[in-house]
Amino acid sequence: MGLKEYTIRRVITGLITILVVLIFNWILFRLPSFVMGKDPIWLYVIQQVQTGMDPKRFIALLIKYKRLWRIPSLHAPLGLWIDHLIIYLKNMFTFNFGISMKVAEGKEIAPLLAHRIMYSVFLLLPATLISISVGILIGVKLGANPGSRLDVAMMSIALMLYSIPIFWLQVLLKGVLAGQLGIWPAAGGVFSLPQQAPDPLIAFIDAFYMISLPILTLVLANFAGWMILMRGSLMDVMGEDFVLTAKAKGLDETTILYKHAFRNAVLPVVTSVVLAIAGVWTGAVITETIFTIPGVGSLLLNAILNLDYALCEVTFYFITLSTIFANIIADISYALLDPRVKY
Amino acid sequence: MSGEQAEIEVKEVIARYREVTKVRRRYTIRAFFKIKRGALGLIILVTLTILSLLSPVIAPNPNSKVHSELSVPAWLKMFDPNAFDDFYPLKLGFQSAADLDSSHVLGIGNTSTFYVDGIKLAQDGYLDQGSLMIRVVDNHTLNDTTLSVGAAFLFRWPHRKHPYRAYFGFAHKVEIRAPPFINDSVSLDPNANKTYSLNFTTKGIAFNCWLSISLKPNTGPVAIIVNSSAGTVILNTVVIESTEFPLSLNTDYNYTITLQNKGFVATQLNICAVADIKNAYSASLVDITLNIYDPAKGSLLSMEELLDYLQENGVEPSSIMQGNWGAAEHVRITTFIDRWFAFGIHKDEPNKPPEVMLCREFLLSPLFQPDQWLAVIIEIDFRALSSSFLPIVKLKQDIPGGIEIRWYIDDIRVQAQDGYYGLMGTDKDGADIFAKIIDGLKISLLVGFVATIANLTIGVSLGLVSGYLGGKIDEVIMRFVDFMMSIPTLPLLLVLSFIFYQMQIDPLIAIILVLSLLGWAGIARVIRSQVLALKTNVYVEAARASGASPFYIVRKHILPGVWPLVLVYLMQGVVANILAEASLSFLGVLRPNWNSLGRMIQEASGISAGTTGGAGMFAVHWVFFPGFILMLIGYAFYAISDAYDEIINPKRRRRF
């Protein structure tokens, strides 16, 4: 099977996964009403009124929000439910997401999501790139001389960073650096993206300064993973025969490391790199919450905490969709780069 | 070779096999403890588990206030040369007259109309016998409706450093008494009469009065007739034992009370008529203020002097709440008549430190200067409760001796705290962080272990089935595993928690369910590949050829090969699940109602319900310790699994 067929097959399996995810999502969000024995809309309305929304205003929104009205009652025949599922799938595939009921009252979800993606990318793209480069740079150093003093030290740090909760590190750094010492601006905060400010350049620098602390914490939390990946991969390659041959030929260490070993060792890392970079718009729930960055992750959390079903459904669908696409891209890129891979 | 011999040989082989297993196990355990990391990890883990299991004994009430809020850990004291232990600069139980020396009564608000009759020790007390009694008599003017009485209690501040927090507590009781119009003890012969008359100078007031008669036993009966000057008979009755009568009187008339012995023996009796004055005054408000005492002058600073002093020390006058005699936080508390009311101290736990803050933070440093004398002033306002009771206050000129107010004060305490407490300090509610942590650790470990065992059960059984059977089943299971692994974990965790929250499942069960349902996919995949490798072994083939059932082969030949991997995954899975539980609690999706380490960090970060939080309440130790414990747990599990891996993994054994 050639690369072309592999790609096609991978895309098709990806699409099937998306379909399964959609159906899974659809069932998941209708499960509570079945378990509680209440009509979906009633459950929704009751909860919203309980959490302090004006019922009249809410019903006005419901009328506006036609997709929700199409949800059949609990005891409706199966056919109606299947019709509903088909409409739902059609809406989801055509990005007709409807409106948010609570978090952004009455606003369309699709533009809201698009707006939030910018913030997530602005946070996660630099963070991911920096942590990948730092991780790979250190990882190469460690993989070339396993067992050295640097190796032991860095691996202990990695172990430590692995076992700490990232939110703890972030809360501490935010509290100390931004709160008590005041070195950083009020920790992330709702910054404005450059195009909304009068002077784009200054606004950009400003925004980047604001977001540098969350980026720093993300790099601290993530670089160790890349480091270990690179180190392990390089150590495997360094043990292979062609490296031994190169050594026997009398090539110097640097040439062996960068010309022979590194090129082979970086292949498995590339998959993860593609996966990580392709996933930057899915947001980081915890980081965005702590540093109050209005990204996709904090949107999901807000939707969940405010019981905004529709928004929650769509955001989760979006995150899953992005991850599946990232997976597909990663798999194909790996097949593209490594000719040895068997499809 | 006979069958018997073969039997014996097989038995020998089995016995040797057992021997070897035993030796290997012993070797493994010994080797494990030789690796320092592994032993350390195990010690940490065992210690934390024992602590968390003992938490109901060590910390029965983890959320109760034990010290001033945001106190830092006590061991930090060694870096602070001026640190002091918590102590009571003022603690008065009024057991003896010596306690009166440190207190003096300031006087009263409306000076001309009331006078303080003196202070003395009273028998009655709150926690024990003895209290300070201030007696105020109100007997002059007609129209005053308010009087305020204050008492100052002096103490000296001995330390170089001002306290981190100063707490205050006291108990008091108010009695309001009217001396009786008539209070007489008479002896009546049979058929003898005795008449008393009530003449009022106040006019136009109706009020209630209690007439009480106490008779000696086996005497009487006695007739009581109360006549008003308007000619009506208010009371006409015969009593045979001690009784009380309510009388409605009107000061426009005069009254005569006649007693007549209707019996055949001489009778001793007491008669008492007293105005019902209990509700005439209310003392609903008590102010507590602080002032500086000048020992040279022998008096407190005046309000102007005090405000000037505070302003010199950088306190904005606008932020100071001012009482009549002092400038500090003044707390308004409730008082009940004829009942002890304790403010900040507990009758059941008399040795517990008081709970009410004496003054706000910015006043601590100017007021609590080294060797400064300070006065806590307790001030009480007596008011005529409402216009309907005003008549009775007016009546006081007809009450012989005036209305008497007795104010009892007891168990005055000021506790100075230096903001150092325990192993890990306290949180914003003054609760012990260590107690909260070991309380929450219980849940963390429970959730971690239960969820991981569930993960392993699902993952290992699916992996075994998939790897051993292969074919269509393998394909289906692996597609499902792929599907589970392609969904990002944290969002799925959040959404599942949301769904379980909607189903109104108990949060603890929900969190275990959510974590059990996720996290098995990776295990299944690894176990499957391991099974695929083990399956090709000759002994498996031999077992299959000799007709062993698949279940038997998996149990006897494949599971033992998978077992070390399962143990490693158990260690890693517990850490992952504990961290996941902490993250979910931190984000607050399931609204956990227990002390969770994640929830503690969330509280400390000031982030609530996914919205923003200020760094105002941030304290490093408050955030640090819950996360540090999580880190310790993580380290312990990783160290144990790493040490174990080092023993069982032949590759690593060679390298080190």
Side-chain angles (χ1 to χ4, degrees):
Chain A
M1 199 186 350
L3 183 65
K4 206 170 155 191
E5 283 108 284
Y6 175 76
T7 310
I8 291 167
R9 211 185 85 173
R10 192 66 193 81
V11 170
I12 288 171
T13 50
L15 285 176
I16 292 169
T17 318
I18 291 168
L19 195 69
V20 174
V21 163
L22 274 174
I23 294 172
F24 171 75
N25 208 352
W26 185 77
I27 294 171
L28 200 62
F29 280 86
R30 277 139 198 84
L31 209 55
S33 60
F34 278 94
V35 172
M36 305 292 293
K38 289 193 179 97
D39 274 4
I41 291 189
W42 258 126
L43 188 66
Y44 196 13
V45 171
I46 289 168
Q47 280 170 349
Q48 293 299 327
V49 172
Q50 273 171 353
T51 51
M53 195 176 198
D54 178 21
K56 275 183 196 162
R57 178 165 170 66
F58 185 77
I59 286 167
L61 276 174
L62 266 184
I63 292 166
K64 204 176 154 196
Y65 185 29
K66 294 201 181 68
R67 192 165 74 78
L68 228 152
W69 270 133
R70 292 207 199 103
I71 294 180
S73 81
L74 198 58
H75 306 291
L78 191 64
L80 219 60
W81 277 99
I82 290 172
D83 283 351
H84 172 58
L85 174 62
I86 290 166
I87 292 167
Y88 165 84
L89 289 178
K90 206 181 96 192
N91 279 336
M92 283 297 179
F93 271 116
T94 52
F95 293 99
N96 180 14
F97 290 148
I99 61 168
S100 156
M101 302 297 281
K102 192 76 189 288
V103 174
E105 267 180 46
K107 278 187 187 149
E108 284 277 331
I109 292 178
L112 182 72
L113 204 56
H115 182 70
R116 293 294 188 110
I117 291 168
M118 291 194 301
Y119 287 97
S120 278
V121 171
F122 194 61
L123 168 72
L124 282 175
L125 191 62
T128 314
L129 288 178
I130 295 170
S131 45
I132 288 172
S133 2
V134 172
I136 286 180
L137 277 178
I138 302 175
V140 169
K141 281 266 181 302
L142 304 187
N145 329 291
S148 65
R149 202 173 286 175
L150 180 74
D151 186 35
V152 174
M154 287 313 286
M155 288 308 278
S156 330
I157 291 174
L159 177 64
M160 200 190 79
L161 286 171
Y162 251 164
S163 45
I164 61 173
I166 173 177
F167 57 86
W168 176 59
L169 190 71
Q170 290 174 331
V171 167
L172 262 183
L173 284 177
K174 179 189 163 185
V176 174
L177 293 179
Q180 290 189 338
L181 301 178
I183 300 172
W184 247 280
V190 184
F191 55 88
S192 56
L193 277 180
Q195 69 265 28
Q196 293 159 352
D199 189 341
L201 185 67
I202 290 174
F204 189 82
I205 293 169
D206 211 36
F208 205 81
Y209 182 44
M210 279 224 179
I211 209 160
S212 55
L213 184 58
I215 287 177
L216 177 81
T217 60
L218 275 176
V219 168
L220 269 181
N222 292 338
F223 89 97
W226 296 106
M227 189 181 85
I228 291 171
L229 192 67
M230 189 65 225
R231 173 182 176 269
S233 177
L234 194 66
M235 268 166 69
D236 284 349
V237 173
M238 289 296 265
E240 283 197 25
D241 290 341
F242 68 89
V243 177
L244 200 66
T245 316
K247 273 184 189 162
K249 280 200 299 189
L251 288 176
D252 65 309
E253 287 286 323
T254 328
T255 319
I256 295 172
L257 185 61
Y258 289 104
K259 290 242 159 150
H260 292 80
F262 179 75
R263 286 191 174 189
N264 283 288
V266 87
L267 281 177
V269 180
V270 167
T271 324
S272 307
V273 169
V274 172
L275 195 61
I277 291 175
V280 289
W281 56 72
T282 58
V285 180
I286 291 173
T287 312
E288 284 169 13
T289 308
I290 291 171
F291 292 99
T292 46
I293 296 161
V296 179
S298 66
L299 185 69
L300 176 69
L301 188 67
N302 266 333
I304 285 175
L305 292 173
N306 289 310
L307 309 175
D308 195 333
Y309 270 90
L311 187 59
C312 184
E313 209 174 42
V314 170
T315 317
F316 181 58
Y317 165 62
F318 171 77
I319 291 174
T320 319
L321 191 74
S322 313
T323 315
I324 289 169
F325 268 118
N327 268 318
I328 295 173
I329 295 167
D331 283 358
I332 293 172
S333 69
Y334 188 62
L336 209 67
L337 287 171
D338 194 347
R340 291 172 304 180
V341 75
K342 286 188 204 126
Y343 307 122
Chain B
M1 204 195 284
S2 72
E4 205 173 301
Q5 261 179 327
E7 188 99 323
I8 289 166
E9 268 182 19
V10 167
K11 269 185 185 165
E12 254 174 34
V13 167
I14 290 174
R16 280 203 62 186
Y17 172 74
R18 288 208 174 126
E19 186 79 4
V20 166
T21 322
K22 213 190 249 171
V23 169
R24 193 191 288 161
R25 194 173 297 149
R26 210 177 297 148
Y27 163 77
T28 312
I29 292 170
R30 208 176 296 158
F32 181 84
F33 281 102
K34 265 190 194 150
I35 301 168
K36 276 181 208 146
R37 261 173 315 163
L40 181 66
L42 203 64
I43 290 168
I44 293 174
L45 200 63
V46 168
T47 315
L48 288 179
T49 314
I50 290 174
L51 272 179
S52 69
L53 289 178
L54 287 180
S55 71
V57 184
I58 304 171
N61 306 312
N63 294 324
S64 64
K65 183 184 163 85
V66 290
H67 204 256
S68 47
E69 68 279 14
L70 294 182
S71 301
V72 295
W75 43 267
L76 285 173
K77 259 186 189 178
M78 57 185 163
F79 303 109
D80 183 357
N82 291 328
F84 56 85
D85 291 330
D86 299 348
F87 73 110
Y88 289 94
L90 180 67
K91 192 172 188 179
L92 294 173
F94 298 108
Q95 302 274 16
S96 66
D99 283 350
L100 290 182
D101 295 344
S102 67
S103 53
H104 66 140
V105 174
L106 287 169
I108 45 179
N110 322 37
T111 44
S112 63
T113 54
F114 309 97
Y115 67 92
V116 172
D117 206 22
I119 50 168
K120 53 188 163 190
L121 286 179
Q123 280 295 306
D124 191 16
Y126 177 62
L127 293 173
D128 41 41
Q129 293 282 301
S131 61
L132 171 75
M133 187 188 80
I134 298 169
R135 190 162 159 269
V136 185
V137 180
D138 176 0
N139 64 353
H140 291 285
T141 327
L142 288 173
N143 295 318
D144 278 311
T145 59
T146 306
L147 73 152
S148 61
V149 183
F153 301 91
L154 307 179
F155 65 93
R156 195 178 66 92
W157 180 247
H159 287 290
R160 289 165 59 87
K161 195 173 107 182
H162 65 81
Y164 179 71
R165 293 277 188 274
Y167 288 89
F168 177 73
F170 83 113
H172 75 160
K173 183 171 88 165
V174 171
E175 284 178 6
I176 294 177
R177 297 175 174 190
F181 299 113
I182 302 161
N183 189 10
D184 200 14
S185 180
V186 288
S187 176
L188 287 178
D189 291 335
N191 287 322
N193 283 350
K194 173 87 180 177
T195 304
Y196 300 93
S197 59
L198 290 175
N199 302 317
F200 301 106
T201 52
T202 317
K203 291 296 169 202
I205 295 166
F207 71 101
N208 289 325
C209 178
W210 285 96
L211 181 66
S212 50
I213 304 291
S214 44
L215 283 172
K216 284 267 171 66
N218 301 321
T219 56
V222 172
I224 300 168
I225 302 126
V226 181
N227 285 311
S228 88
S229 58
T232 48
V233 178
I234 292 180
L235 184 73
N236 187 355
T237 185
V238 175
V239 293
I240 52 172
E241 56 188 1
S242 302
T243 326
E244 278 198 346
F245 304 100
L247 297 177
S248 284
L249 302 183
N250 193 321
T251 51
D252 289 339
Y253 310 115
N254 295 328
Y255 295 89
T256 54
I257 302 167
T258 311
L259 300 172
Q260 191 178 18
N261 191 346
K262 293 276 191 187
F264 304 103
V265 288
T267 301
Q268 276 281 333
L269 59 83
N270 289 320
I271 176 169
C272 184
V274 58
D276 183 6
I277 208 93
K278 207 165 254 178
N279 293 323
Y281 289 104
S282 81
S284 60
L285 299 170
V286 173
D287 289 351
I288 293 137
T289 51
L290 261 182
N291 201 343
I292 295 168
Y293 176 74
D294 187 352
K297 273 203 291 181
S299 68
L300 302 177
L301 296 190
S302 70
M303 277 313 290
E304 290 76 32
E305 284 170 335
L306 182 63
L307 288 178
D308 286 349
Y309 171 78
L310 289 175
Q311 211 167 353
E312 275 168 31
N313 284 279
V315 178
E316 281 288 311
S318 58
S319 62
I320 309 168
M321 308 242 317
Q322 295 170 25
N324 283 336
W325 286 298
E329 182 82 358
H330 71 159
V331 195
R332 312 213 125 199
I333 60 166
T334 317
T335 311
F336 300 102
I337 305 290
D338 281 354
R339 183 141 58 97
W340 278 104
F341 181 84
F343 182 62
I345 54 172
H346 302 266
K347 189 147 197 162
D348 306 332
E349 298 162 274
N351 293 322
K352 212 177 161 191
E355 276 178 358
V356 181
M357 220 188 286
L358 185 56
C359 62
R360 273 185 281 176
E361 219 163 343
F362 59 86
L363 286 166
L364 285 168
S365 90
L367 286 176
F368 288 77
Q369 290 289 326
D371 282 332
Q372 183 144 289
W373 280 88
L374 290 167
V376 180
I377 301 149
I378 308 171
E379 178 194 342
I380 189 164
D381 283 356
F382 296 102
R383 289 167 208 278
L385 194 63
S386 69
S387 57
S388 62
F389 292 105
L390 266 175
I392 305 173
V393 183
K394 276 187 188 172
L395 190 69
K396 62 200 169 191
Q397 60 183 352
D398 281 318
I399 294 173
I403 297 173
E404 183 185 321
I405 296 164
R406 289 179 179 192
W407 185 27
Y408 296 87
I409 301 172
D410 201 0
D411 293 295
I412 293 181
R413 288 173 205 181
V414 171
Q415 198 200 30
Q417 298 187 344
D418 195 21
Y420 292 100
Y421 183 84
L423 192 61
M424 298 177 179
T426 60
D427 69 1
K428 73 159 191 309
D429 302 320
D432 187 1
I433 290 177
F434 178 68
K436 278 183 105 168
I437 281 179
I438 58 172
D439 189 49
L441 204 56
K442 213 167 35 189
I443 304 278
S444 286
L445 289 173
L446 176 81
V447 170
F449 271 105
V450 173
T452 312
I453 287 167
N455 285 341
L456 281 172
T457 314
I458 301 173
V460 170
S461 40
L462 284 183
L464 286 175
V465 167
S466 169
Y468 189 78
L469 296 181
K472 284 243 169 68
I473 296 175
D474 180 34
E475 184 69 19
V476 169
I477 291 176
M478 279 306 114
R479 285 291 80 75
F480 190 45
V481 166
D482 285 347
F483 169 70
M484 289 302 285
M485 289 185 85
S486 67
I487 301 177
T489 319
L490 187 60
L492 184 58
L493 269 181
L494 289 178
V495 168
L496 275 183
S497 315
F498 171 57
I499 298 299
F500 282 128
Y501 175 72
Q502 294 291 296
M503 293 182 192
Q504 296 179 4
I505 296 175
D506 180 74
L508 185 60
I509 295 170
I511 215 161
I512 291 176
L513 266 179
V514 167
L515 294 176
S516 305
L517 289 176
L518 300 172
W520 54 266
I523 298 173
R525 187 178 273 180
V526 174
I527 294 290
R528 172 180 171 270
S529 60
Q530 182 79 0
V531 171
L532 283 181
L534 287 170
K535 209 167 73 169
T536 56
N537 278 332
V538 184
Y539 57 81
V540 176
E541 220 151 291
R544 203 184 295 148
S546 54
S549 70
F551 182 71
Y552 178 84
I553 295 171
V554 167
R555 193 163 57 90
K556 280 278 170 182
H557 296 299
I558 294 189
L559 204 55
V562 172
W563 205 238
L565 212 60
V566 172
L567 276 180
V568 170
Y569 268 96
L570 176 72
M571 298 295 160
Q572 292 178 0
V574 172
V575 176
N577 280 327
I578 286 176
L579 286 187
E581 187 268 334
S583 312
L584 281 185
S585 312
F586 175 79
L587 294 172
V589 182
L590 279 167
R591 280 87 165 163
N593 48 11
W594 58 86
N595 278 325
S596 160
L597 298 177
R599 192 167 150 229
M600 288 178 71
I601 299 175
Q602 187 230 40
E603 281 167 7
S605 70
I607 298 161
S608 61
T611 54
T612 109
M617 280 297 276
F618 178 83
V620 173
H621 70 274
W622 189 14
V623 182
F624 180 79
F625 288 109
F628 178 71
I629 294 293
L630 282 175
M631 192 170 90
L632 268 189
I633 296 175
Y635 175 77
F637 276 109
Y638 276 121
I640 292 170
S641 78
D642 196 47
Y644 182 67
D645 188 50
E646 201 172 312
I647 296 163
I648 59 155
N649 193 342
K651 263 190 208 164
R652 290 189 62 185
R653 217 186 305 161
R654 231 178 293 134
R655 217 170 56 209
F656 285 93

